């Protein structure tokens, strides 16, 4: 009987030990999850905010009507057959690109400015699907800035038959965009010290025959949008307005030249 009692005691102690280990493991997992969630929350809420007179570009003008759609803002100008889907740069408030979209819409290119989850285009790369399915245009272009440009290029690589071209601002592709009916425009600033120049050069091997590259002298990485200075970027030698005007001219030339 004594031996049986000792066995029962040892069994109970073993169960309690295993239970403590299980509870400790669960506590560690819970702590890791809480910390991870906290880090993710801080990361996605630490982003570049729009600056300057951006709110004025979110209102209707005599030439452009601005309205909301499922995933962002629609800039409806005088054009009827050509549209441009735009993916913002990483951790940049998407409305910071409203001035650029307004200027394009004034030139007859309707624009869809896409709001990405957590301000990260990598989390909403396929949002162009809904736009292509919901709106009727004869010619479609997609593009974006920085990471947004990379994700736009990635989307385009899998949907070359649905699009006429891509516009990469301070960005480069990592997949082939080669197609006889597809055009690519790459625009970057001479003072851009954010973009990886080696990868920019390597990206040229993925370009189609109809490819044009524009280096804006004096431009930098951040001035494609209106969100102030970007960390590790070079100092621009031209104004934000000038950089955006040159960008618009290059895009319009590409679209009209196809």
């Amino acid at each position: 009987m004594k031996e049986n009692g000792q066995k029962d005691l040892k069994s109970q102690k073993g169960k309690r030990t295993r239970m403590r280990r299980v509870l400790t493991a669960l506590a560690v997992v819970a702590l890791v999850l809480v910390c991870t969630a906290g880090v993710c929350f801080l990361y996605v809420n630490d982003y570049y905010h729009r600056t300057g007179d951006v709110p004025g570009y979110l209102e209707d003008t005599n030439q452009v009507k601005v309205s909301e759609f499922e995933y962002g803002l629609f800039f409806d100008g005088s054009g009827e057959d050509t549209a441009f889907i735009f993916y913002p740069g990483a951790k940049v408030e998407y409305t910071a690109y409203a001035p650029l979209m307004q200027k394009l819409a004034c030139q007859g290119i309707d624009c869809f400015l896409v709001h990405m989850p957590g301000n990260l285009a990598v989390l909403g790369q396929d949002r162009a699907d809904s736009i292509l399915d919901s709106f009727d245009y004869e010619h479609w272009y997609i593009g974006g800035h920085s990471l947004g440009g990379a994700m736009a290029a990635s989307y385009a690589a899998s949907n070359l038959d649905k699009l006429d071209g891509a516009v990469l601002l301070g960005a480069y592709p990592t997949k082939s965009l080669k197609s006889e009916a597809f055009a690519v425009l790459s625009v970057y600033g001479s003072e851009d010290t954010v973009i990886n120049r080696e990868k920019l050069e390597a990206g040229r091997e993925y370009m189609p025959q109809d490819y044009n590259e524009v280096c804006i002298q004096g431009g930098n990485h951040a001035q494609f949008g209106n969100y102030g200075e970007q960390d590790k970027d070079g100092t621009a030698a031209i104004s934000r307005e000038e950089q955006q005007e040159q960008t618009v001219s290059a895009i319009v030339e590409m679209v009209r030249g196809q």
Side-chain angles (χ1 to χ4, degrees), residues 130-150:
S130 177
I131 301 172
L132 292 171
D133 291 340
S134 302
F135 295 86
D136 185 23
Y137 284 89
E138 183 178 353
H139 301 290
W140 283 101
Y141 294 83
I142 192 170
H145 176 223
S146 199
L147 179 63

Side-chain angles (χ1 to χ4, degrees), residues 16-198:
R16 287 196 293 270
T17 299
R18 288 194 294 273
M19 181 59 70
R20 284 197 295 270
R21 289 175 178 172
V22 170
L23 292 175
T24 299
L26 290 174
V28 171
V29 171
L31 180 61
V32 170
L33 290 175
V34 169
C35 291
T36 301
V39 170
C40 290
F41 177 81
L42 292 173
Y43 181 81
V44 300
N45 284 279
D46 178 23
Y47 60 91
Y48 294 99
H49 296 261
R50 70 190 190 197
T51 58
D53 58 350
V54 169
Y57 290 93
L58 301 176
E59 300 177 357
D60 293 348
T61 68
N62 293 333
Q63 294 177 286
V64 180
K65 181 179 180 181
V66 183
S67 60
E68 293 184 359
F69 71 100
E70 183 181 8
Y71 291 128
L73 295 173
F74 174 44
F75 293 78
D76 186 6
S78 59
E80 297 181 354
D81 65 350
T82 302
F84 181 45
I85 301 170
F86 189 84
Y87 288 2
K91 299 181 70 176
V92 177
E93 186 174 5
Y94 82 112
T95 53
Y97 299 93
L100 186 63
M101 299 297 102
Q102 272 271 14
K103 293 166 185 175
L104 282 169
C106 284
Q107 295 295 320
I109 302 173
D110 291 346
C111 295
F112 293 86
L113 177 55
V114 183
H115 184 199
M116 292 297 180
N119 295 310
L120 293 169
V122 70
L123 301 179
Q125 179 181 318
D126 294 331
R127 289 199 160 178
D129 281 339
S130 177
I131 301 172
L132 292 171
D133 291 340
S134 302
F135 295 86
D136 185 23
Y137 284 89
E138 183 178 353
H139 301 290
W140 283 101
Y141 294 83
I142 192 170
H145 176 223
S146 199
L147 179 63
M151 292 300 99
S154 181
Y155 178 87
S158 300
N159 295 275
L160 293 172
D161 58 326
K162 300 178 182 178
L163 302 162
D164 291 76
V167 177
L168 310 180
L169 306 183
Y172 46 82
T174 57
K175 299 178 181 179
S176 178
L177 297 172
K178 294 180 180 180
S179 173
E180 292 184 3
F182 196 77
V184 176
L185 169 66
S186 173
V187 185
Y188 57 91
S190 64
E191 309 309 308
D192 183 345
T193 52
V194 174
I195 193 171
N196 186 314
R197 297 283 174 160
E198 292 182 358

Side-chain angles (χ1 to χ4, degrees), residues 53-54 57 96-104 169 187 216 219 222-227 238-251:
D53 58 350
V54 169
Y57 290 93
Y97 299 93
L100 186 63
M101 299 297 102
Q102 272 271 14
K103 293 166 185 175
L104 282 169
L169 306 183
V187 185
I216 299 178
Q223 289 193 159
F224 291 110
N226 289 49
Y227 59 91
I238 60 174
S239 69
R240 189 179 310 276
E241 291 73 18
E242 175 61 25
Q243 182 164 339
Q244 291 181 13
E245 288 293 345
Q246 290 191 42
T247 302
V248 169
S249 295
I251 296 173

